[in-house]
Amino acid sequence: MAGSQESLQVNESKPSQSITGLSLTPQHTILLQKQARVLLFPFDVKKNKQGQMINPQNLSENNSNNEEKHKVKRKHRELGTPEIEAMFPKEEYSLQKSALCSQTEPSAAISKNTKDVLSLSTEMQSKQDGDGDGDENETADRDGSTELSAYEKKRLKNISENAEFFASLDLIETAKRLREMITKRPSHGIKRKKPKKAEDEIVCRRSMRLLKVDPSGVPLPDPSPQPDSVVDQYTRLPPGPLEMIPENQNGENEVFKGVLHMWMKISQSRNESTKKSSSMKRYQASLSGMVISEANICKVTKTRVCSMAIHPSETRTLVAAGDRVGQVGLWDLTQQPREDGVFTFILHSQVVSCLNFSPANPAHLLSLSHDGTLRCGDFTRAVFEEVYRNEERDFSYFDFLADDASTLIVGHWDAGVAIVDRRTSGSSYEQFFNSSMSLIRTLQVHPVNRHYFIAAGGRDVHIYDLRYFKSKGIKPLISFTEHLKTLASAYFSPVTGNRVVTTCADDNLRVFDTSCMSSKIPLLTRVRHNNNTGRWLTRFRAVWDPKQEDCFIVGSMARPRSIDVFHESGELVHSFIDEECLASVCSISVMHPTQNILAGGNSSGRIHVFKG
């Protein structure tokens, strides 16, 4: 029996208690003499809702279904048929997917899957029958029941019906047609924009005044030509002398003739008294006694005041002002009413940036403009002579180089400097050179050492020495480097020239010690001051009081409006305030050389005079 009889040995092993999922431990191992075959069945120890153990047969059915799904996928890949996925439960997914994807044989796929589910146990049993008779009873016990319940049969029926329904919709063909419809074909033609309709366009409104038509559409007549007295701002006046005829007076004016006679008298008597500085207490007391009234306010120029000068006479108060359009106004405060004492002259075509009475002859008033002309008004002869003219360059400032006013130094906006000798015939200048600055805004000669002069413009303040004059150019002797923005002015102190006050757009007033002309000039004081006048006001220019060596005057942006007097140490000495009479900013200020008289000009052409 040992050689012919089969030896059967069955080993049963229990699954490990630590495994909670599937167990891959072989449940039955059959060893045959002729042939050995191992069958693996996953075993799940989970319980169902009723608390019963799950039959391993169900797990084998799942494994069979998975094998069938892989077969279906391989078949689709061979046939090139796309797959359509639908939202179904996990149990129905494999059957419905195979039914939707197979359009040629939908019934075959459904019947095949259904057959797999119904005959799972029979197939397993048939596989084991060929191996031997010894495992028949064991296979029958393991398969249990081969029939499906009524619920499962109805469920499989619903799955097959749904699969047939989706197969009948021809979704693949429909999706292909939709893709063809959505895909845009490239156009080979040129697209042309359709012209907009006239009613859709927005019509821009235009001013009838600019179109020169009245509201009814009738063209307006040409405006009347301007009178000859109005001078174009950008056209220079013809060269040569101009008659001293006031523009605001019609015909022969007896009052102006009387003023000319008065000028002849005051020009004969000159004040030879020297300038002496008083103590600070006396100076403050004199400033406090200066007041203003309505009688001392008058409109002298057409537009804003850009320059001012006071006649040095001690018997009459005469103020001169230059405006933005080239007009020069004279105001005699002794005349009543006030309008009778105002006389205006059109001497230039652009800004009058500098006015000065001659130190040698007070009957001469010199005016300089940006239009490149420098004129001298001689009141003894009632004529405005042309001293210097250069149509290629714009002038910015001038000062007297000699005590007798025979020579002048003229600054140009392009940083050029000219030395003009009035004793020569005509209006030719003697010397010209270029400075090392970007531009020149103000220029002044040292009161004691006349060969020094200071120039301010841009961010530069330089002191030059005329003894080192060269035709190609001149280098500065001293440079001030403390300024952060553009400068409006720089002036020597009136008596000794030992101090220089500068006005800068960085809202600071600075005082420098120039008692020793060395390469380094020390900064003594910096006064915080609002210099932001804007474009509609003339820039502030701090100027020294001719009677006081250590005090300077400047306008103020503070409210109430005022004109301030500062000491060189930065201390505020006095503020001229009058809320009723002084209600505007006086950018330009000038003090009488010997009397307690202060004049300030604003942007409307009015002059305010404080008198002691």
Side-chain angles (χ1 to χ4, degrees):
M1 296 295 293
S4 60
Q5 194 176 6
E6 298 178 358
S7 61
L8 177 66
Q9 183 179 358
V10 179
N11 295 331
E12 297 181 359
S13 60
K14 297 181 180 181
S16 177
Q17 298 297 328
S18 62
I19 301 175
T20 59
L22 298 177
S23 176
L24 299 179
T25 305
Q27 186 176 3
H28 298 282
T29 303
I30 303 174
L31 299 177
L32 301 178
Q33 186 176 1
K34 296 180 179 180
Q35 183 179 2
R37 187 172 183 176
V38 180
L39 301 178
L40 300 178
F41 297 94
F43 183 78
D44 194 352
V45 297
K46 293 183 180 180
K47 297 182 179 181
N48 57 10
K49 294 181 180 180
Q50 288 78 13
Q52 300 177 358
M53 298 294 292
I54 296 176
N55 193 355
Q57 182 179 353
N58 296 333
L59 299 176
S60 63
E61 293 177 0
N62 293 336
N63 293 334
S64 178
N65 291 337
N66 294 332
E67 295 177 2
E68 292 297 330
K69 286 191 287 183
H70 291 298
K71 292 178 181 180
V72 172
K73 290 182 178 179
R74 288 194 298 271
K75 184 177 181 180
H76 284 306
R77 286 195 295 269
E78 294 174 0
L79 296 176
T81 307
E83 298 180 7
I84 301 177
E85 296 183 359
M87 299 300 295
F88 299 105
K90 294 181 180 179
E91 295 83 3
E92 305 172 8
Y93 180 76
S94 62
L95 292 175
Q96 293 181 0
K97 183 174 181 180
S98 61
L100 289 173
C101 296
S102 178
Q103 294 183 357
T104 57
E105 297 177 358
S107 58
I110 296 172
S111 60
K112 184 177 180 180
N113 291 324
T114 307
K115 183 179 179 180
D116 291 340
V117 176
L118 295 176
S119 59
L120 179 61
S121 60
T122 305
E123 183 181 358
M124 297 296 296
Q125 185 176 0
S126 64
K127 290 180 180 180
Q128 295 178 1
D129 287 343
D131 297 337
D133 298 334
D135 57 326
E136 291 183 355
N137 296 330
E138 186 177 357
T139 303
D141 296 337
R142 186 171 63 251
D143 292 341
S145 63
T146 59
E147 297 182 358
L148 298 176
S149 63
Y151 169 76
E152 292 178 348
K153 291 179 179 180
K154 186 175 182 180
R155 174 173 166 272
L156 293 175
K157 182 179 179 181
N158 292 337
I159 294 173
S160 62
E161 290 178 355
N162 292 338
E164 292 176 359
F165 171 74
F166 281 105
S168 64
L169 294 178
D170 295 335
L171 295 179
I172 296 177
E173 300 250 349
T174 305
K176 184 177 180 181
R177 289 195 301 270
L178 289 175
R179 281 194 296 269
E180 292 178 356
M181 294 171 63
I182 294 173
T183 305
K184 294 183 179 180
R185 296 180 180 179
S187 60
H188 300 285
I190 299 175
K191 295 183 178 180
R192 297 181 179 179
K193 295 182 179 180
K194 295 181 179 180
K196 295 182 179 180
K197 297 181 180 180
E199 56 269 13
D200 296 339
E201 295 181 358
I202 299 175
V203 180
C204 297
R205 297 181 61 186
R206 299 187 64 183
S207 172
M208 290 186 175
R209 179 182 59 82
L210 297 179
L211 295 175
K212 298 181 180 181
V213 296
D214 59 5
S216 61
V218 179
L220 297 173
D222 293 335
S224 58
Q226 298 293 331
D228 297 337
S229 59
V230 179
V231 181
D232 187 5
Q233 182 180 358
Y234 303 102
T235 303
R236 288 182 173 91
L237 296 178
L242 300 176
E243 294 184 5
M244 192 174 289
I245 300 176
E247 297 293 334
N248 60 337
Q249 304 291 338
N250 296 324
E252 296 183 359
N253 192 328
E254 298 296 333
V255 177
F256 182 65
K257 290 182 179 181
V259 171
L260 291 178
H261 185 69
M262 178 266 301
W263 280 72
M264 293 177 64
K265 289 184 178 180
I266 62 176
S267 63
Q268 294 176 0
S269 60
R270 295 176 55 188
N271 186 11
E272 300 293 343
S273 61
T274 59
K275 304 172 184 178
K276 295 181 180 180
S277 300
S278 60
S279 63
M280 187 56 59
K281 291 183 178 180
R282 293 182 59 185
Y283 181 66
Q284 285 182 330
S286 64
L287 296 178
S288 300
M290 298 170 59
V291 295
I292 189 174
S293 62
E294 288 291 339
N296 294 336
I297 303 173
C298 185
K299 185 175 177 62
V300 178
T301 59
K302 182 179 179 180
T303 59
R304 68 184 183 189
V305 177
C306 298
S307 57
M308 291 182 63
I310 293 183
H311 193 276
S313 173
E314 297 180 357
T315 58
R316 304 288 289 261
T317 304
L318 299 173
V319 182
D323 69 353
R324 186 174 57 89
V325 295
Q327 190 180 76
V328 176
L330 297 176
W331 181 26
D332 184 4
L333 274 71
T334 59
Q335 297 290 336
Q336 293 297 331
R338 292 171 295 178
E339 290 75 13
D340 293 342
V342 176
F343 309 97
T344 59
F345 307 91
I346 297 178
L347 305 180
H348 307 278
S349 59
Q350 294 186 28
V351 178
V352 181
S353 57
C354 186
L355 278 176
N356 279 317
F357 285 97
S358 173
N361 187 359
H364 291 174
L365 174 65
L366 283 81
S367 61
L368 177 140
S369 174
H370 292 177
D371 62 0
T373 57
L374 175 61
R375 295 183 182 274
C376 175
D378 188 352
F379 291 93
T380 59
R381 297 188 297 119
V383 64
F384 290 98
E385 296 178 341
E386 188 175 81
V387 177
Y388 177 42
R389 184 184 186 94
N390 191 336
E391 296 184 358
E392 297 179 358
R393 298 178 181 271
D394 296 338
F395 299 163
S396 58
Y397 213 81
F398 84 96
D399 195 12
F400 299 100
L401 189 58
D403 293 335
D404 58 357
S406 60
T407 55
L408 307 174
I409 182 168
V410 180
H412 300 72
W413 276 107
D414 59 355
V417 177
I419 308 282
V420 180
D421 190 349
R422 299 177 62 187
R423 295 168 295 185
T424 59
S425 60
S427 58
S428 60
Y429 59 86
E430 190 177 49
Q431 292 174 325
F432 178 84
F433 61 91
N434 292 315
S435 67
S436 59
M437 301 174 62
S438 58
L439 61 94
I440 293 178
R441 190 179 297 273
T442 63
L443 178 146
Q444 189 191 24
V445 178
H446 195 279
V448 179
N449 302 317
R450 311 296 293 185
H451 53 272
Y452 293 133
F453 74 92
I454 186 170
R459 297 187 180 183
D460 303 322
V461 178
H462 293 166
I463 296 178
Y464 294 93
D465 191 347
L466 290 175
R467 294 174 297 181
Y468 298 97
F469 170 79
K470 294 181 181 180
S471 59
K472 295 182 179 180
I474 185 171
K475 294 182 179 181
L477 179 66
I478 301 170
S479 298
F480 300 78
T481 60
E482 288 80 1
H483 303 90
L484 304 178
K485 292 186 179 181
T486 59
L487 286 129
S489 63
Y491 297 111
F492 285 113
S493 56
V495 179
T496 63
N498 293 335
R499 300 289 184 268
V500 168
V501 59
T502 63
T503 307
C504 185
D506 60 0
D507 292 341
N508 283 288
L509 303 174
R510 294 175 174 87
V511 179
F512 296 89
D513 183 6
T514 56
S515 58
C516 180
M517 290 294 182
S518 61
S519 59
K520 183 64 175 176
I521 298 296
L523 174 65
L524 296 181
T525 309
R526 177 167 29 188
V527 181
R528 187 69 179 173
H529 187 264
N530 185 1
N531 296 328
N532 187 14
T533 54
R535 62 176 298 186
W536 305 113
L537 301 178
T538 305
R539 288 191 174 190
F540 290 141
R541 292 198 295 236
V543 295
W544 296 96
D545 186 351
K547 303 182 297 297
Q548 196 73 19
E549 171 71 11
D550 53 359
C551 292
F552 56 89
I553 307 163
V554 65
S556 176
M557 296 290 294
R559 291 183 182 274
R561 302 305 188 192
S562 63
I563 301 175
D564 299 331
V565 180
F566 289 94
H567 189 261
E568 64 178 19
S569 63
E571 180 184 357
L572 179 63
V573 178
H574 183 75
S575 291
F576 294 95
I577 300 174
D578 194 308
E579 296 184 8
E580 294 182 358
C581 298
L582 184 60
S584 60
V585 177
C586 291
S587 300
I588 303 298
S589 303
V590 61
M591 186 75 79
H592 194 280
T594 57
Q595 304 295 314
N596 293 328
I597 300 175
L598 170 67
N602 64 8
S603 59
S604 63
R606 286 182 171 81
I607 295 179
H608 304 72
V609 178
F610 289 83
K611 299 180 68 175

